[in-house]
Amino acid sequence: MNAYFFDAAAVIELIKQAGSAVMDIYRQDFAVYEKEDASPVTEADMSAEKIIFDGLKELTPDIPVVGEEHMAAGEPADLTQRYFWLVDPVDGTADFVKKNGEFTVNIALIENETPVFGAVYVPVTETVYYTISPGRACMEKDGMTAELKTRDVPDQGYTVLNSRTHCNETIVSKMLEGLKIAERRRCGSSLKFCLIAAGQADVYPCCHQTKEWDTAAAHAVLTAAGGEVYNAENNTVLTYRKPGLVNPRIISFGQKR
Protein backbone atom coordinates (compact mmCIF):
# COMPACT_ATOMS: atom_id res chain seq x y z
CA MET A 1 0.00 0.00 0.00
CA ASN A 2 2.93 2.33 -0.63
CA ALA A 3 2.06 3.34 -4.21
CA TYR A 4 0.17 6.43 -3.03
CA PHE A 5 1.31 9.80 -1.71
CA PHE A 6 -0.73 9.28 1.48
CA ASP A 7 -0.70 6.54 4.10
CA ALA A 8 -3.03 4.04 2.48
CA ALA A 9 -2.66 1.60 5.38
CA ALA A 10 -3.99 4.29 7.70
CA VAL A 11 -7.03 4.72 5.45
CA ILE A 12 -7.67 0.96 5.63
CA GLU A 13 -7.53 1.13 9.43
CA LEU A 14 -9.86 4.12 9.34
CA ILE A 15 -12.47 2.30 7.28
CA LYS A 16 -12.32 -0.62 9.72
CA GLN A 17 -12.89 1.78 12.64
CA ALA A 18 -15.91 3.21 10.85
CA GLY A 19 -17.15 -0.31 10.16
CA SER A 20 -16.81 -1.20 13.84
CA ALA A 21 -18.93 1.82 14.77
CA VAL A 22 -21.51 0.74 12.19
CA MET A 23 -21.64 -2.74 13.71
CA ASP A 24 -22.17 -1.32 17.21
CA ILE A 25 -25.42 0.17 15.93
CA TYR A 26 -26.30 -2.76 13.64
CA ARG A 27 -26.49 -5.07 16.64
CA GLN A 28 -29.05 -2.83 18.36
CA ASP A 29 -32.44 -1.39 17.61
CA PHE A 30 -31.85 1.88 15.80
CA ALA A 31 -33.75 4.86 14.48
CA VAL A 32 -34.26 5.32 10.73
CA TYR A 33 -34.83 8.78 9.25
CA GLU A 34 -35.57 10.01 5.76
CA LYS A 35 -33.49 12.42 3.71
CA GLU A 36 -34.99 14.82 1.19
CA ASP A 37 -34.74 12.15 -1.53
CA ALA A 38 -36.70 9.77 0.76
CA SER A 39 -33.77 7.36 1.12
CA PRO A 40 -33.18 6.03 4.62
CA VAL A 41 -30.39 7.25 6.86
CA THR A 42 -29.46 5.78 10.22
CA GLU A 43 -27.31 6.67 13.17
CA ALA A 44 -24.71 4.35 11.64
CA ASP A 45 -24.35 6.52 8.52
CA MET A 46 -23.76 9.63 10.56
CA SER A 47 -21.42 8.02 13.08
CA ALA A 48 -19.27 6.33 10.42
CA GLU A 49 -19.04 9.45 8.27
CA LYS A 50 -17.81 11.52 11.21
CA ILE A 51 -15.07 8.97 11.96
CA ILE A 52 -13.95 8.94 8.33
CA PHE A 53 -14.11 12.73 7.88
CA ASP A 54 -12.11 13.39 11.03
CA GLY A 55 -9.53 10.76 10.12
CA LEU A 56 -9.07 11.87 6.52
CA LYS A 57 -8.73 15.52 7.51
CA GLU A 58 -5.96 14.53 9.90
CA LEU A 59 -4.20 12.31 7.34
CA THR A 60 -4.53 14.66 4.35
CA PRO A 61 -5.55 18.12 5.62
CA ASP A 62 -5.17 19.74 2.19
CA ILE A 63 -7.54 17.38 0.37
CA PRO A 64 -11.29 18.14 0.54
CA VAL A 65 -13.59 15.42 1.84
CA VAL A 66 -17.03 14.98 0.31
CA GLY A 67 -19.55 12.67 1.96
CA GLU A 68 -23.13 11.58 1.40
CA GLU A 69 -24.48 12.70 4.76
CA HIS A 70 -22.65 16.05 4.73
CA MET A 71 -24.07 16.73 1.27
CA ALA A 72 -27.56 15.72 2.43
CA ALA A 73 -27.20 18.17 5.32
CA GLY A 74 -26.49 20.98 2.86
CA GLU A 75 -22.71 21.23 3.20
CA PRO A 76 -21.19 22.39 -0.11
CA ALA A 77 -18.71 20.08 -1.82
CA ASP A 78 -15.31 21.50 -2.71
CA LEU A 79 -14.61 20.06 -6.17
CA THR A 80 -12.14 22.72 -7.25
CA GLN A 81 -8.92 20.84 -6.49
CA ARG A 82 -7.13 18.07 -8.35
CA TYR A 83 -8.00 15.54 -5.63
CA PHE A 84 -10.95 15.02 -3.34
CA TRP A 85 -12.05 12.20 -1.08
CA LEU A 86 -15.49 10.71 -1.71
CA VAL A 87 -17.15 8.88 1.19
CA ASP A 88 -20.25 6.72 1.53
CA PRO A 89 -20.43 5.73 5.22
CA VAL A 90 -23.04 3.02 4.67
CA ASP A 91 -23.72 1.98 1.11
CA GLY A 92 -26.81 -0.16 0.97
CA THR A 93 -28.61 1.47 3.88
CA ALA A 94 -31.76 -0.45 2.93
CA ASP A 95 -29.77 -3.68 3.35
CA PHE A 96 -28.49 -2.40 6.70
CA VAL A 97 -32.04 -1.67 7.83
CA LYS A 98 -33.16 -5.13 6.72
CA LYS A 99 -30.14 -6.62 8.54
CA ASN A 100 -29.15 -8.88 5.66
CA GLY A 101 -25.44 -8.03 6.03
CA GLU A 102 -24.98 -6.82 2.45
CA PHE A 103 -23.86 -3.26 3.11
CA THR A 104 -20.47 -1.61 2.87
CA VAL A 105 -18.40 1.37 4.01
CA ASN A 106 -16.72 3.15 1.09
CA ILE A 107 -13.79 5.54 0.76
CA ALA A 108 -12.46 6.70 -2.62
CA LEU A 109 -9.91 9.24 -3.78
CA ILE A 110 -10.78 11.06 -6.99
CA GLU A 111 -8.03 12.54 -9.15
CA ASN A 112 -9.50 14.88 -11.74
CA GLU A 113 -12.38 12.68 -13.03
CA THR A 114 -11.06 9.24 -12.06
CA PRO A 115 -11.16 7.16 -8.85
CA VAL A 116 -7.49 6.25 -8.23
CA PHE A 117 -7.85 4.71 -4.77
CA GLY A 118 -10.71 2.74 -3.33
CA ALA A 119 -11.46 0.87 -0.12
CA VAL A 120 -14.70 -1.04 0.41
CA TYR A 121 -15.33 -2.64 3.80
CA VAL A 122 -17.98 -5.25 4.54
CA PRO A 123 -18.45 -4.93 8.32
CA VAL A 124 -20.49 -8.10 8.89
CA THR A 125 -17.80 -10.36 7.39
CA GLU A 126 -14.87 -8.06 8.28
CA THR A 127 -13.74 -8.16 4.65
CA VAL A 128 -11.98 -5.23 3.01
CA TYR A 129 -11.43 -4.79 -0.73
CA TYR A 130 -8.90 -2.12 -1.61
CA THR A 131 -6.50 -0.88 -4.26
CA ILE A 132 -2.75 -1.27 -3.73
CA SER A 133 -2.20 0.97 -6.75
CA PRO A 134 -4.45 2.06 -9.63
CA GLY A 135 -3.51 -1.23 -11.31
CA ARG A 136 -3.64 -3.70 -8.40
CA ALA A 137 -6.36 -4.61 -5.91
CA CYS A 138 -6.58 -6.98 -2.94
CA MET A 139 -9.07 -8.55 -0.58
CA GLU A 140 -8.23 -8.94 3.10
CA LYS A 141 -10.15 -11.28 5.40
CA ASP A 142 -9.30 -13.31 8.50
CA GLY A 143 -5.73 -12.02 8.44
CA MET A 144 -5.19 -13.30 4.89
CA THR A 145 -4.67 -11.13 1.80
CA ALA A 146 -5.39 -12.21 -1.77
CA GLU A 147 -4.96 -10.29 -4.99
CA LEU A 148 -8.14 -9.61 -6.93
CA LYS A 149 -8.44 -10.41 -10.62
CA THR A 150 -11.48 -10.46 -12.85
CA ARG A 151 -12.11 -13.68 -14.73
CA ASP A 152 -12.59 -14.44 -18.41
CA VAL A 153 -16.28 -14.88 -19.16
CA PRO A 154 -17.04 -18.64 -18.97
CA ASP A 155 -18.15 -20.46 -22.11
CA GLN A 156 -21.61 -20.94 -20.62
CA GLY A 157 -22.06 -17.17 -20.42
CA TYR A 158 -22.14 -14.23 -18.04
CA THR A 159 -23.08 -14.43 -14.39
CA VAL A 160 -25.15 -11.30 -13.71
CA LEU A 161 -25.45 -9.52 -10.38
CA ASN A 162 -28.61 -7.50 -9.90
CA SER A 163 -29.49 -5.13 -7.09
CA ARG A 164 -31.38 -6.77 -4.25
CA THR A 165 -33.44 -3.60 -3.69
CA HIS A 166 -33.61 -1.89 -7.10
CA CYS A 167 -34.10 -4.08 -10.15
CA ASN A 168 -36.40 -3.17 -13.03
CA GLU A 169 -36.46 -6.37 -15.07
CA THR A 170 -37.49 -4.60 -18.28
CA ILE A 171 -34.62 -2.13 -18.12
CA VAL A 172 -32.10 -4.76 -17.02
CA SER A 173 -33.06 -7.07 -19.89
CA LYS A 174 -32.50 -4.24 -22.36
CA MET A 175 -29.11 -3.45 -20.79
CA LEU A 176 -28.07 -7.10 -21.17
CA GLU A 177 -29.36 -7.46 -24.71
CA GLY A 178 -26.99 -9.47 -26.88
CA LEU A 179 -25.15 -11.09 -23.96
CA LYS A 180 -25.27 -14.82 -23.30
CA ILE A 181 -26.48 -15.14 -19.71
CA ALA A 182 -25.69 -18.22 -17.65
CA GLU A 183 -26.93 -17.15 -14.23
CA ARG A 184 -28.49 -14.22 -12.40
CA ARG A 185 -28.09 -13.43 -8.72
CA ARG A 186 -29.13 -10.59 -6.41
CA CYS A 187 -26.83 -8.76 -4.06
CA GLY A 188 -26.85 -5.53 -2.07
CA SER A 189 -24.64 -2.42 -2.15
CA SER A 190 -21.29 -1.88 -3.86
CA LEU A 191 -20.39 -5.44 -2.89
CA LYS A 192 -21.51 -6.36 -6.42
CA PHE A 193 -18.53 -4.57 -7.99
CA CYS A 194 -16.17 -6.30 -5.57
CA LEU A 195 -17.52 -9.78 -6.32
CA ILE A 196 -16.89 -9.12 -10.00
CA ALA A 197 -13.38 -7.91 -9.14
CA ALA A 198 -12.86 -11.19 -7.26
CA GLY A 199 -13.86 -13.24 -10.31
CA GLN A 200 -17.12 -14.48 -8.79
CA ALA A 201 -19.41 -12.85 -11.36
CA ASP A 202 -19.13 -10.99 -14.65
CA VAL A 203 -21.53 -8.08 -15.08
CA TYR A 204 -23.66 -5.71 -13.01
CA PRO A 205 -26.34 -3.74 -14.90
CA CYS A 206 -27.35 -0.88 -12.58
CA CYS A 207 -30.77 0.35 -13.68
CA HIS A 208 -31.47 2.78 -10.82
CA GLN A 209 -30.05 6.23 -10.15
CA THR A 210 -26.84 6.35 -8.15
CA LYS A 211 -24.57 9.08 -6.86
CA GLU A 212 -20.81 9.16 -7.28
CA TRP A 213 -20.19 8.16 -3.65
CA ASP A 214 -22.19 4.97 -4.29
CA THR A 215 -19.78 3.77 -6.96
CA ALA A 216 -16.37 5.47 -6.68
CA ALA A 217 -14.54 3.21 -4.22
CA ALA A 218 -15.78 -0.02 -5.76
CA HIS A 219 -15.14 1.38 -9.25
CA ALA A 220 -11.48 1.89 -8.30
CA VAL A 221 -11.26 -1.67 -6.98
CA LEU A 222 -12.88 -3.19 -10.06
CA THR A 223 -10.70 -1.22 -12.46
CA ALA A 224 -7.54 -2.20 -10.56
CA ALA A 225 -8.63 -5.85 -10.81
CA GLY A 226 -9.01 -5.65 -14.58
CA GLY A 227 -12.66 -4.63 -15.01
CA GLU A 228 -14.42 -1.38 -15.80
CA VAL A 229 -17.57 0.65 -15.13
CA TYR A 230 -19.29 2.24 -18.10
CA ASN A 231 -21.87 4.90 -18.76
CA ALA A 232 -24.57 2.63 -20.17
CA GLU A 233 -26.02 5.47 -22.23
CA ASN A 234 -22.95 5.96 -24.45
CA ASN A 235 -20.60 3.06 -23.54
CA THR A 236 -17.84 5.38 -22.28
CA VAL A 237 -15.94 4.87 -19.02
CA LEU A 238 -17.79 6.39 -16.07
CA THR A 239 -16.25 9.69 -14.94
CA TYR A 240 -16.56 11.67 -11.73
CA ARG A 241 -16.96 15.30 -10.62
CA LYS A 242 -20.23 15.53 -12.56
CA PRO A 243 -22.89 18.17 -11.74
CA GLY A 244 -24.64 17.19 -8.53
CA LEU A 245 -22.38 14.10 -8.35
CA VAL A 246 -25.17 12.22 -10.17
CA ASN A 247 -24.32 9.14 -12.21
CA PRO A 248 -26.03 8.14 -15.44
CA ARG A 249 -27.27 4.58 -15.77
CA ILE A 250 -24.18 2.35 -15.54
CA ILE A 251 -23.04 -1.15 -16.36
CA SER A 252 -19.96 -2.83 -14.87
CA PHE A 253 -17.97 -5.65 -16.44
CA GLY A 254 -15.17 -7.89 -15.26
CA GLN A 255 -14.27 -8.90 -18.80
CA LYS A 256 -16.18 -8.76 -22.06
CA ARG A 257 -16.56 -11.51 -24.67
Side-chain angles (χ1 to χ4, degrees):
M1 286 188 283
N2 296 321
Y4 296 101
F5 61 86
F6 56 90
D7 188 347
V11 179
I12 301 303
E13 288 306 309
L14 185 62
I15 203 170
K16 292 177 180 178
Q17 291 173 27
S20 178
V22 167
M23 287 304 295
D24 286 344
I25 296 170
Y26 185 73
R27 297 186 184 101
Q28 307 169 17
D29 292 329
F30 49 82
V32 179
Y33 313 96
E34 281 193 358
K35 294 183 287 191
E36 288 185 4
D37 64 359
S39 60
V41 58
T42 68
E43 298 166 54
D45 297 78
M46 295 180 283
S47 175
E49 187 158 295
K50 184 179 187 310
I51 290 170
I52 295 169
F53 262 59
D54 290 349
L56 290 177
K57 287 178 179 178
E58 183 175 343
L59 286 170
T60 56
D62 296 327
I63 298 179
V65 186
V66 178
E68 179 179 11
E69 304 314 326
H70 282 69
M71 287 280 286
E75 181 175 308
D78 180 1
L79 306 179
T80 62
Q81 300 187 38
R82 175 181 174 182
Y83 294 101
F84 69 95
W85 292 104
L86 197 50
V87 175
D88 190 348
V90 179
D91 181 57
T93 308
D95 299 290
F96 179 93
V97 170
K98 294 172 185 175
K99 294 198 172 186
N100 66 21
E102 294 179 343
F103 57 90
T104 60
V105 183
N106 298 338
I107 301 175
L109 182 70
I110 309 299
E111 180 180 8
N112 298 321
E113 297 182 341
T114 303
V116 293
F117 170 84
V120 178
Y121 187 56
V122 188
V124 169
T125 61
E126 298 184 352
T127 305
V128 60
Y129 301 86
Y130 59 91
T131 58
I132 297 174
S133 71
R136 289 183 65 201
C138 284
M139 178 186 73
E140 178 189 308
K141 182 179 181 182
D142 298 330
M144 304 292 289
T145 301
E147 189 157 351
L148 298 172
K149 199 68 180 174
T150 58
R151 69 182 184 183
D152 293 333
V153 180
D155 291 340
Q156 59 265 38
Y158 289 81
T159 292
V160 180
L161 296 180
N162 291 130
S163 170
R164 190 172 296 284
T165 306
H166 312 279
C167 184
N168 183 309
E169 294 291 347
T170 301
I171 296 174
V172 166
S173 294
K174 187 171 182 61
M175 294 176 73
L176 297 174
E177 194 171 9
L179 299 183
K180 181 182 178 182
I181 307 302
E183 182 182 1
R184 291 179 64 169
R185 307 176 194 155
R186 291 197 177 227
C187 181
S189 75
S190 57
L191 182 57
K192 293 182 284 294
F193 299 83
C194 297
L195 293 178
I196 295 173
Q200 297 178 33
D202 305 295
V203 59
Y204 165 36
C206 179
C207 65
H208 63 284
Q209 185 183 84
T210 59
K211 295 292 186 71
E212 292 186 3
W213 50 71
D214 295 313
T215 60
H219 184 171
V221 170
L222 179 56
T223 301
E228 192 53 87
V229 181
Y230 297 93
N231 178 335
E233 297 169 7
N234 58 20
N235 203 35
T236 59
V237 173
L238 181 67
T239 59
Y240 290 76
R241 211 184 291 257
K242 299 182 294 296
L245 301 180
V246 176
N247 285 329
R249 190 169 290 152
I250 62 175
I251 186 165
S252 304
F253 286 92
Q255 303 287 334
K256 290 184 177 181
R257 294 191 68 176

